[in-house]
Amino acid sequence: MKEKKRAAMNNKTKVIPIQWDATFFFERAVRSLDRYHYDKALKYFRRAVEYEPDNPVNHCNMAGILSEMGNYEGSNEILRRIVEEMDPEMTECHFYMANNFANMEMYEAAEEALVRYLEEDGEGQFLEESEEMMELLHYELERPTKLAFIKAREGIYEHDQARSLLEEGKFVEAVRMLESIVEKNAGFLAARNNLALAYYYMGMFDKALATIGEVLEIESGNLHALCNLAIFYQHAHDQVQLKPLVELLAKTVPFHEEHVFKLATTMGILGEHGEAYRHFLRLLKDSTVQSDACLYHYTAVACSNIGRFDEAQRLWLQAGKLDPESKVSSYYLEQLAGVRAGRHPAPTSYHYHLPFEEQFKLWEKSTDAIPDHLKRDPLVRSSFFWALRHGDRHTKLQVIQALGLIADNEVKDALRDFIVEPQEEDYLKRIAIFVLRSIGVHDSLQAVLEGQDTVIEHSRMPSRLPVWEDKWQAVLEAALLRMKKHYDLVQQHDLLTLWIEFLSRVYPDVPKLGKIEGWAAALEYLTAKMHRRAISYHEVSQRYGTSIATVSKCAKRIDEICGIKEKMKMAFPALTANHQE
């Protein structure tokens, strides 16, 4: 008897308890829906309501099933109770009621519910469907719909424009437009969510966080806001706030495709790759998105992070077939072998483009400007703007140069903002000023240099010289014209700095500068030496159309005043000790 009891106890420990809660029954209901088992889905949704009777979403799902089963009156009874007793903010219930009334051929009641939806709903989730229903009601009632205004249309055109600006990476313009929309229509939550993202892309983290907080104050369950907030907390390494939010999102099973996609990508970014995979798989079963290469890439990334390498390979191959011109699939397929072997970790980015570092390498190898598709890519642009605010010194130098090659109005605004930041290094700000001048900004610039508010006029260089002669400018322009294709912007700026230093030290006894090309060639020669680039007097004299003797004479004069060789010896003693001209 004792042996039987002990065996029973041992067997008991092997039983895995099932957690009976609303989420469990919700998932069962969704599974039944996918199989068109409406009776089972209704039963499971009812059980979800029993566990969470105060959750209006569960009631709304039950109403949806009743509608699918043809029980329109029962569906409307639940929907009416939701908006009258549980959550008046769930304005979509009025649209669902309008559908039910239309199916019952109660067109007057359908019109009343539809008008109430359009006049109260600020999100506009069912605008297209509502317009189709209005056409039906117009035909059946033989008159136009009695509609005063559509709340969701307030600022809708401007919002679409702002979203387009965000997609093009024009964040400053998008922010201006979105701020204006939100000021006029405080309840336009989609605009607030996009404004928070625009702030985030620009590196304005505190503003992004505050804006998301405003959305959640108005609608605590807004899924887009909750997903964005989780990503913001992850960026801030705030695990205390992040953990319960991730747990909440992990229990969420969205019904609409847009929400499924948002949650899937968010869980992937948060490192919850199993959850991301589950949601992406739901999307792949939908025939309307099966031709989207991006979705196959996202699912493959999730697979590679949970060890489903064969499936990841199959998905990336499919993405490559759907988008043969893209290099994304082939890059990640090459990386997959290393992931399998444990040589490097699985990719963490769910964005459908090459990793930023890879794109930067391709750009650095190219002799041309940044390709147009990269200039327009909002993720690349946001990486630049983010790094300009939060990167280390070397990264900021790279980014300032890259922005100089993009050279649009957004870039000019970002660099103007950068040069007035008191905490940024003066050298970086001077590079930014040089870039602004090189991309055609000729008006006066406001900057903070050496801790002082400074106005830099176009007619003079950023120096303390009381004058700036035309011949001095001619030397500079002669050098920069020939260096443009062979030296980066930092090196060009260092040439400018060297020229200003020389002139400042010898002023007012500046040489007459009879041979402009000789001085320009000498500046390039010395700049190349400072950056340890191979160059000779012969090479540079030929390019500038002057003699070796002239270049040598001018270079020695600049070196005497500025001490270039001495500085190089101090910085690189081992290299300069063996140097011979």
Side-chain angles (χ1 to χ4, degrees), residues 94-268:
H94 295 295
F95 174 77
Y96 300 144
M97 281 192 278
N99 264 302
N100 286 336
F101 283 128
N103 283 317
M104 290 189 286
E105 298 184 3
M106 298 172 64
Y107 300 117
E108 294 281 354
E111 180 189 45
E112 183 182 346
L114 182 64
V115 166
R116 188 166 179 185
Y117 165 72
L118 291 170
E119 291 184 350
E120 291 185 8
D121 181 75
E123 292 292 301
Q125 183 179 345
F126 298 111
L127 270 181
E128 289 184 16
E129 295 87 343
S130 296
E131 288 170 355
E132 291 175 5
M133 193 183 297
M134 278 194 287
E135 289 181 12
L136 168 68
L137 295 175
H138 189 174
Y139 174 78
E140 294 292 344
L141 296 172
E142 298 181 351
R143 59 169 172 77
T145 306
K146 299 173 183 177
L147 181 66
F149 75 101
I150 300 175
K151 185 175 182 180
R153 290 288 186 199
E154 292 180 335
I156 199 80
Y157 173 73
E158 293 83 357
H159 183 240
D160 286 343
Q161 278 189 310
R163 285 177 59 184
S164 297
L165 290 170
L166 272 180
E167 289 167 4
E168 294 168 14
K170 297 177 179 177
F171 306 119
V172 174
E173 294 177 57
V175 163
R176 290 182 190 137
M177 190 167 284
L178 289 165
E179 285 177 340
S180 175
I181 293 170
V182 168
E183 186 179 348
K184 294 174 185 174
N185 185 355
F188 200 156
L189 299 188
R192 284 188 186 272
N193 270 323
N194 282 321
L195 178 58
L197 285 176
Y199 285 143
Y200 178 74
Y201 289 146
M202 292 173 66
M204 303 165 73
F205 180 71
D206 291 339
K207 277 194 169 185
L209 203 57
T211 306
I212 285 295
E214 291 166 1
V215 174
L216 293 173
E217 281 179 16
I218 299 170
E219 185 183 302
S220 60
N222 188 288
L223 184 62
H224 281 273
L226 291 171
C227 288
N228 291 338
L229 182 62
I231 292 169
F232 295 170
Y233 282 150
Q234 185 190 53
H235 160 77
H237 306 292
D238 188 345
Q239 292 299 317
V240 175
Q241 300 269 26
L242 179 61
K243 186 178 178 183
L245 186 50
V246 171
E247 290 173 356
L248 173 66
L249 291 174
K251 292 178 182 178
T252 304
V253 185
F255 193 72
H256 297 290
E257 181 182 298
E258 177 192 352
H259 290 161
V260 177
F261 181 78
K262 177 69 175 181
L263 184 58
T265 52
T266 299
M267 297 307 276

Side-chain angles (χ1 to χ4, degrees), residues 471-472 509-516 519:
K471 277 200 170 182
W472 304 350
D509 300 320
V510 179
K512 291 183 179 180
L513 310 181
K515 297 181 179 179
I516 288 171
W519 289 98

Side-chain angles (χ1 to χ4, degrees), residues 377-426:
D377 190 324
L379 295 167
V380 172
R381 292 172 68 95
S382 67
S383 297
F384 284 153
F385 292 132
W386 185 274
L388 188 62
R389 284 181 173 270
H390 303 289
D392 57 24
R393 185 178 190 272
H394 175 69
T395 302
K396 287 181 179 181
L397 273 175
Q398 281 189 310
V399 166
I400 290 169
Q401 292 183 78
L403 293 177
L405 295 176
I406 296 175
D408 59 19
N409 290 333
E410 187 90 357
V411 163
K412 293 171 185 176
D413 288 341
L415 292 177
R416 279 192 178 100
D417 290 341
F418 181 79
I419 63 177
V420 296
E421 289 291 342
Q423 73 273 17
E424 295 294 350
E425 185 184 332
D426 275 4

Side-chain angles (χ1 to χ4, degrees), residues 7 11 37 70 123 144 264 315 344-345 403 437 446 482 492 506:
N11 287 334
H37 295 162
E123 292 292 301
L315 290 163
H344 50 75
L403 293 177
R437 292 302 188 215
Q446 300 285 336
R482 291 168 176 82
Q492 293 176 49
V506 298

Side-chain angles (χ1 to χ4, degrees), residues 153 182 290 322 353:
R153 290 288 186 199
V182 168
Q290 285 182 359
L322 292 171
H353 61 57

